[in-house]
Amino acid sequence: MAKLKRVLAGALSLCMVGSMLTACGDSSSDSDSKSSSSKKDSSAAAASSSADSSTADSSKAESKEVKSADDDKKIVIHCWNTEFKERLDKYYPNNGKYEVETEEYEKKGDDGSTTKLTQIKKINGKEVVWVQNTNEGGVYQDKLDEALRANASASADEKVDMFLIEADYAMKYINGGVTTPVKDLGIGDDDLKEQYKYTQDVATDTDGNLNGVSWQATPGCFMYNAVYAKEVLGTDEPDKVQEFVKDWDTFKDTAAKMKEKGIAMLAGFDDAYRVFSNNASAPWVTDDKVQIDPQLKAWAEQTKEFTDKGYNNKSSLWSPEWAACQKIDGKTFGFFFSTWGIAFTLKGNTGDAGNGKWRACYGPQSYFWGGTWMCATKDINSQAEVADIMRTITCNKDVMKKITEGEQDYTNNKAAIKEIVDGGYKFDFLGGQNHIALLAENAEKIDLTGKLTAYDQDCNEKFQAAMKDWFLGNTKSYDDAVAAFKTELTKKNANLKFE
Amino acid sequence: MKRKSVSYAKWGYIFLAPFFIVYIIFSLYPLIQTFYNSFLSYVVDRGSIFQSTKIEFGGLSNYASCFSKDETLFQSFLNTIIMWILGFIPQIAVSLLLATWFTDLRLKIKAQGFFKTVIYLPNVIMASAVAFMFQAMLARTGALYGLFHAANDTTILNTVWGTRGTVAFINFLLWYGNTTILLMAAIMGIDPGLYEAAQIDGATPSQTFWKITMPLIRPILSFVLVTSMIGGLQMYDVPALLTKDTGNPIGKAYTLIMEIQQRKDSDVGKASAVCVLIFIISAVLGLFTMFFLDDTREKKKKRRKA
C-alpha cells in the first residue's frame, strides 16, 4: 500500500509539474506572439493564431508597466484580420502628411510560401500597435468591448485609438457612446462628399453624427467559372450568362442544367445567404423582439431544395471544402462575392490555375456583403494621426483610385470609381473584365436604412447553423429548425424574445 | 512537563499558506459567487457596450427552468455522458492490455521506451490541434473522407453518431497513453513473487490477470475512473471546435460546459445554475464510484477474519 501511495503521489506530482510546464509553455508563447504580434501575419482563416494573439491581448491589457508616460507613444488599433493593415502599410506612406517609419516582414501564405512586405512601424514617431482577434463567435467584439470599457482609465500608451467594425454589429458601437464623431476629428462634409451614402448610413448614430468611415463599398456580384459556363451554357460572356441567373427561378433552371453535367450551382448552404438577407424588409431585432424575415425563410427553402436536388456541394462558408470548390476544377459554377471576396478570398483559393478563368455578372438580386469601417474611440489620444489615416485612406480620391487599381477593392469614392470605369479598367484575374463598372451599378442600389441591429452577427450565425441541420435532414422540418434557432439565440442573448 | 522539542509545525503552515491564499481568491470566492449568482435573474444585454444589466432576485427560478420541457440541458448531459463512455471503454481496455503486455515478465518486450513514448505522444498535442486535424481529414477534401463519409455524401461530422464517435475517438487517442502509464505504475507495484508463485502453480496468463492484477490495481483503477469521469463531465474543447460551438447535428454533440460557455456572457444566472448542477453531479458520481471501488472495505473484512 505504501508503494502504491508513493506511486500515486508521484503520478500526481508529475501531473502537477506537467501542468505547470504546459502553463509556462502557453504563457511564453503568448508573450512571444505579443511581442511579435505586429510582425506576425496570419490570414483571416487562421483562427488558431488569432486565438494566440487574443490571449496576448488580454495579458497586455492587464500589464500596466508604463503608467507614467503622459505623452502618448502608441497608436493602438483593434482589428480582426490583416486586410486594413495591408492597405494602410501600402497606401499611407508618401500619401499621408505624417512621417512614417517602415520595416520589412515576411507574410506567410496558406500554402506555406512567404512574401516580403513592408509594414508601418511608426507614424509621426508613434508606434502602431495592432490587436488582432478572430471575428468568429463574437471573440473580437468581446475583447474590444473589454478594452473600450477600460479605455477611459487606461494609460496613454494603452488607450485604444482606433477600431474596426463590420456592418453586422456596427450599430452596437456607433450608438454605444464609445466613438468620436469624425467631424470632431476635422473631417468635414467636403471630405466625405464622394462616399457612398449607405456606407455613411451604417456609421451614423441616432443623433445624426457620422462615427465611422470606410475605404470600401462592398456591393456584391455573382462570380462564375467561365470554363463551366462555356461547357454547359455555351457562352462565357457576362451579359449572356447574366440571362441565365437573372432571377431566382432562372437561377434554379440553370442549376438543373449544371447538375446534369455533374456541376453544382453553388458551393454550399450559406453562399446565397447575404443576397437574401440584404433584401429583407425588416431588421432582425426591434425592441428586443426577434423577427424572421420572409426573405430569410425564402433563403432556407431554396437552399433546402438545392441541397436535396444536389445543386450545391454541401459545404459551409469558410470550410476547407468550400475553399476547394473555388478551384477551377472544383465542380462548382459560381459564388456570391462582394468586392473584398474577389481579391482577398477567391483569387487566393483558386490559385494560379484559375487565374483569368473567372467572370463576374450582376446576379439575381443586388446585395452587399461585409465591409470594414474605422472608428476613432472617444478617449482617443492620437487624434491628429488617426484623422490623417482616415482622410488619406477614405477621402483622398487619388489614394483610393490607387487602392482599386492595386487591390481590386471597390473603393468608397464615387469620383475615383468613375475615373476608373471611364478609364477602361481591366482586371486580369477576370480575363480583363471591368467588374468595377458592374459593381458601380449595384452600389447605388444598396439601402440599409433601419435594417441593422447590434445582434445581427449572432442572429445570422445561429440561423445558418440551425438551418444547416434541416438542409442535411437531421432536423425534420423548417419549424423544428426555427425552434432550434430560437433556443440557441436566446442562450447567447437572454434579453431577446420571440413573438 | 518537558517542552524541549522544537515545533516545526508553523513552517509547514507557512509553506502551505500561499496555496490557500491563492485558492481562496481564485477558486473559493468565485465558487461562492457562482452559488450566489445562481439564485439571481441576471441578464446582460450583449447588444450594448456598457452592457445594460438586469439583476434581480430570482429564487430557484433558474433551477426550475433548467428542468423545463424545452430545455436542452438534459440532452446535453446525456450527450456528455455518451461521448465520455464511448471514449472511456476503449481507453481503459486498450490501456489495460498495453500495461499488462509491457509489464509481463515472460513477454519481455524490447524497445519499451520507444513504444511508451509513442503511446504517450498524442497526449502532448493540444486537443484543439487534434480537433482541427480531424476536421480537415474528415472533410470532403480530406484524406479520410474515402473511408468515412455519410450516406448523403457529406462528412460524417454532419451525422450524430459520426460526430459523437469522432469526439470519443479523439478523447480516447489523447488519453489512453496517460492511462497506460498510470496502470503500468500500478502493476509494477505488485509483488512479482505473486506472479511467479501463480505460474509455478500452473496459472494461465488470463488467470493471473483476472485473479492477481485486477484486484490489486483496483485503487488506481478507481482513481482513473473518477478523474476521467470528472474530466468527461467537463468535456469542452474537442466538441466545441469540431462543431464550431454549435453542438450540431441537432444539438447531439452539445456538452454541459458548452451550455455554460454559450450562456455566460448574457444569461449569467442560468449559467451559474448549470455550474452548480454540474458541481453536484460530479460530487455525487465521484462519491458513488469511490464507495464502490474502495478497497478498504475488503481489507476490513480480511482483518476481521485474521
Side-chain angles (χ1 to χ4, degrees):
Chain A
M1 209 40 218
K3 215 172 199 178
L4 209 90
K5 267 184 194 155
R6 227 174 290 154
V7 168
L8 238 176
L12 283 172
S13 55
L14 253 177
C15 289
M16 208 178 76
V17 170
S19 63
M20 275 162 72
L21 284 176
T22 43
C24 288
D26 273 345
S27 62
S28 70
S29 75
D30 277 353
S31 57
D32 226 37
S33 70
K34 178 179 153 193
S35 60
S36 64
S37 66
S38 52
K39 282 170 218 158
K40 200 193 265 173
D41 209 312
S42 57
S43 74
S48 57
S49 69
S50 35
D52 260 357
S53 60
S54 77
T55 38
D57 149 49
S58 64
S59 68
K60 183 174 275 173
E62 276 154 22
S63 68
K64 291 194 174 170
E65 294 146 53
V66 243
K67 239 179 184 172
S68 57
D70 268 353
D71 51 331
D72 182 34
K73 290 194 194 70
K74 284 177 182 165
I75 303 174
V76 182
I77 305 175
H78 276 245
C79 60
W80 62 87
N81 64 18
T82 57
E83 193 188 11
F84 173 63
K85 178 175 178 289
E86 282 165 22
R87 301 290 176 274
L88 191 71
D89 287 344
K90 203 160 164 189
Y91 297 99
Y92 185 80
N94 307 323
N95 294 316
K97 69 176 175 190
Y98 290 111
E99 204 177 306
V100 171
E101 199 178 306
T102 57
E103 64 183 0
E104 281 204 334
Y105 73 106
E106 283 190 341
K107 181 187 175 171
K108 270 205 183 102
D110 286 341
D111 51 351
S113 62
T114 52
T115 33
K116 276 218 168 120
L117 292 171
T118 311
Q119 70 179 356
I120 295 178
K121 207 173 151 198
K122 284 179 178 173
I123 294 180
N124 196 18
K126 291 186 180 182
E127 192 187 333
V128 181
V129 180
W130 297 92
V131 181
Q132 187 179 336
N133 287 305
T134 176
N135 221 342
E136 219 171 297
V139 177
Y140 174 70
Q141 290 182 61
D142 291 341
K143 296 280 177 194
L144 177 59
D145 291 357
E146 210 173 288
L148 288 177
R149 279 195 290 269
N151 214 23
S153 54
S155 71
D157 273 355
E158 281 163 5
K159 272 200 203 321
V160 182
D161 293 298
M162 185 163 143
F163 60 92
L164 305 181
I165 49 171
E166 271 196 316
D168 270 3
Y169 47 78
M171 284 301 130
K172 176 171 159 188
Y173 297 94
I174 297 299
N175 287 324
V178 290
T179 51
T180 302
V182 295
K183 68 166 191 281
D184 296 354
L185 295 171
I187 300 175
D189 290 342
D190 203 42
D191 292 313
L192 300 165
K193 65 175 191 290
E194 294 297 339
Q195 295 193 350
Y196 282 92
K197 186 178 164 290
Y198 97 89
T199 65
Q200 297 185 353
D201 286 346
V202 169
T204 304
D205 66 16
T206 41
D207 299 331
N209 288 320
L210 182 66
N211 284 331
V213 281
S214 176
W215 76 94
Q216 59 179 192
T218 55
C221 59
F222 183 65
M223 303 295 305
Y224 64 90
N225 185 320
V227 181
Y228 291 148
K230 191 103 190 165
E231 189 185 322
V232 181
L233 306 174
T235 175
D236 60 359
E237 281 172 46
D239 289 343
K240 290 182 182 151
V241 173
Q242 169 61 22
E243 287 305 305
F244 289 98
V245 294
K246 64 174 191 265
D247 55 50
W248 288 118
D249 287 333
T250 339
F251 195 84
K252 221 176 280 178
D253 296 339
T254 311
K257 274 184 211 154
M258 288 288 163
K259 166 79 182 158
E260 279 169 28
K261 301 266 165 136
I263 299 159
M265 190 70 178
L266 293 171
F269 308 122
D270 319 314
D271 285 87
Y273 183 79
R274 299 282 167 173
V275 191
F276 282 94
S277 73
N278 281 166
N279 288 296
S281 53
W284 264 115
V285 182
T286 336
D287 294 333
D288 281 0
K289 288 220 172 66
V290 185
Q291 270 179 342
I292 298 170
D293 195 88
Q295 279 286 329
L296 295 165
K297 193 180 179 191
W299 163 75
E301 278 166 351
Q302 183 192 299
T303 309
K304 174 70 178 166
E305 192 188 335
F306 271 43
T307 311
D308 288 349
K309 288 184 176 164
Y311 293 171
N312 64 35
N313 271 333
K314 296 184 181 127
S315 64
S316 289
L317 222 50
W318 310 116
S319 68
E321 291 106 317
W322 181 76
C325 288
Q326 294 171 16
K327 296 252 183 310
I328 201 66
D329 54 356
K331 293 280 169 215
T332 309
F333 181 58
F335 291 84
F336 288 101
F337 265 130
S338 79
T339 157
W340 50 266
I342 302 166
F344 202 69
T345 312
L346 181 63
K347 200 176 170 197
N349 285 336
T350 197
D352 286 340
N355 202 3
K357 292 178 183 159
W358 289 88
R359 299 284 183 281
C361 71
Y362 183 84
Q365 272 174 302
S366 68
Y367 71 101
F368 86 104
W369 184 12
T372 306
W373 282 260
M374 41 187 125
C375 300
T377 58
K378 195 178 169 192
D379 306 299
I380 181 173
N381 52 10
S382 303
Q383 280 95 339
E385 291 83 3
V386 167
D388 195 54
I389 290 174
M390 285 182 169
R391 198 177 286 122
T392 311
I393 303 288
T394 76
C395 304
N396 185 327
K397 189 188 81 185
D398 297 331
V399 175
M400 293 171 89
K401 195 176 162 191
K402 271 185 221 154
I403 295 180
T404 302
E405 284 165 353
E407 314 295 327
Q408 291 77 43
D409 259 350
Y410 187 96
T411 41
N412 190 12
N413 191 305
K414 290 179 197 167
I417 292 295
K418 192 163 181 307
E419 275 182 26
I420 286 166
V421 172
D422 293 346
Y425 166 82
K426 280 188 182 131
F427 188 15
D428 291 340
F429 175 66
L430 302 177
Q433 191 187 354
N434 180 357
H435 73 299
I436 299 292
L438 187 84
L439 292 170
E441 215 175 300
N442 252 345
E444 295 287 352
K445 292 181 188 159
I446 302 169
D447 177 24
L448 287 174
T449 332
K451 284 184 193 166
L452 297 174
T453 73
Y455 307 96
D456 288 358
Q457 188 182 10
D458 279 342
C459 290
N460 291 335
E461 278 183 7
K462 298 287 179 194
F463 192 72
Q464 289 174 349
M467 288 304 146
K468 184 181 168 189
D469 258 342
W470 181 46
F471 303 148
L472 288 165
N474 291 325
T475 313
K476 292 273 174 319
S477 67
Y478 172 73
D479 291 335
D480 289 349
V482 168
F485 161 64
K486 288 178 180 173
T487 321
E488 290 306 314
L489 183 65
T490 41
K491 266 183 205 170
K492 198 133 198 203
N493 293 282
N495 55 314
L496 297 186
K497 308 220 160 31
F498 286 82
E499 298 268 281
Chain B
M1 286 289 278
K2 273 196 276 178
R3 293 201 60 184
K4 267 184 185 169
S5 67
V6 186
S7 168
Y8 290 107
K10 78 168 182 187
W11 292 108
Y13 291 123
I14 287 170
F15 285 127
L16 278 174
F19 167 76
F20 278 98
I21 292 166
V22 171
Y23 174 78
I24 288 168
I25 298 172
F26 292 106
S27 284
L28 190 65
Y29 172 68
L31 192 72
I32 294 166
Q33 188 76 33
T34 306
F35 272 85
Y36 174 68
N37 283 344
S38 72
F39 295 109
L40 300 175
S41 161
Y42 187 149
V43 173
V44 181
D45 180 0
R46 290 181 62 244
S48 61
I49 301 154
F50 298 96
Q51 293 156 333
S52 59
T53 307
K54 264 192 229 159
I55 307 178
E56 50 199 38
F57 187 70
L60 290 170
S61 63
N62 284 326
Y63 291 95
S65 77
C66 285
F67 295 100
S68 78
K69 209 174 61 185
D70 47 352
E71 180 52 64
T72 53
L73 276 172
F74 184 67
Q75 180 65 53
S76 298
F77 174 65
L78 278 184
N79 298 338
T80 315
I81 296 290
I82 290 170
M83 288 192 282
W84 170 66
I85 290 178
L86 278 182
F88 185 71
I89 291 175
Q91 180 192 324
I92 201 79
V94 170
S95 299
L96 267 175
L97 195 66
L98 289 174
T100 320
W101 281 346
F102 281 132
T103 51
D104 196 295
L105 293 172
R106 281 192 285 192
L107 274 176
K108 285 197 186 113
I109 291 176
K110 277 178 191 150
Q112 277 210 21
F114 170 74
F115 287 116
K116 282 179 205 166
T117 315
V118 170
I119 289 166
Y120 195 78
L121 264 184
N123 197 257
V124 181
I125 311 171
M126 265 200 309
S128 52
V130 182
F132 276 126
M133 189 176 81
F134 270 83
Q135 203 168 31
M137 288 198 302
L138 291 169
R140 272 162 75 105
T141 45
L144 285 178
Y145 182 76
L147 273 175
F148 302 101
H149 58 86
N152 63 351
D153 214 16
T154 63
T155 153
I156 55 164
L157 294 177
N158 284 333
T159 63
V160 174
W161 288 101
T163 311
R164 284 176 172 175
T166 310
V167 171
F169 183 73
I170 293 175
N171 280 330
F172 158 72
L173 198 66
L174 289 181
W175 290 102
Y176 83 100
N178 192 57
T179 313
T180 307
I181 303 285
L182 280 177
L183 292 178
M184 271 171 59
I187 295 173
M188 285 192 294
I190 299 172
D191 183 0
L194 289 174
Y195 290 106
E196 277 161 27
Q199 277 163 21
I200 289 164
D201 284 350
T204 60
S206 76
Q207 275 174 325
T208 50
F209 177 76
W210 290 108
K211 300 268 161 73
I212 298 174
T213 313
M214 280 305 268
L216 287 173
I217 61 167
R218 236 162 75 172
I220 289 282
L221 270 183
S222 83
F223 169 77
V224 168
L225 183 67
V226 171
T227 48
S228 164
M229 189 159 59
I230 291 169
L233 275 175
Q234 295 177 358
M235 195 186 295
Y236 172 67
D237 42 7
V238 174
L241 285 165
L242 268 185
T243 66
K244 297 208 163 71
D245 276 337
T246 63
N248 283 343
I250 37 173
K252 298 275 187 189
Y254 231 112
T255 67
L256 282 172
I257 303 295
M258 284 167 75
E259 293 273 1
I260 297 171
Q261 288 291 339
Q262 284 290 311
R263 290 179 161 97
K264 72 174 182 0
D265 295 321
S266 182
D267 205 347
V268 181
K270 182 96 171 262
S272 305
V274 180
C275 288
V276 171
L277 286 177
I278 295 180
F279 178 81
I280 294 169
I281 294 168
S282 312
V284 169
L285 286 177
L287 287 173
F288 188 77
T289 350
M290 296 284 270
F291 183 75
F292 274 95
L293 284 170
D294 200 353
D295 61 343
T296 47
R297 282 182 306 140
E298 251 172 65
K299 240 184 249 161
K300 269 179 204 155
K301 262 187 235 159
K302 272 180 205 157
R303 249 179 239 148
R304 237 170 269 149
K305 270 182 206 163

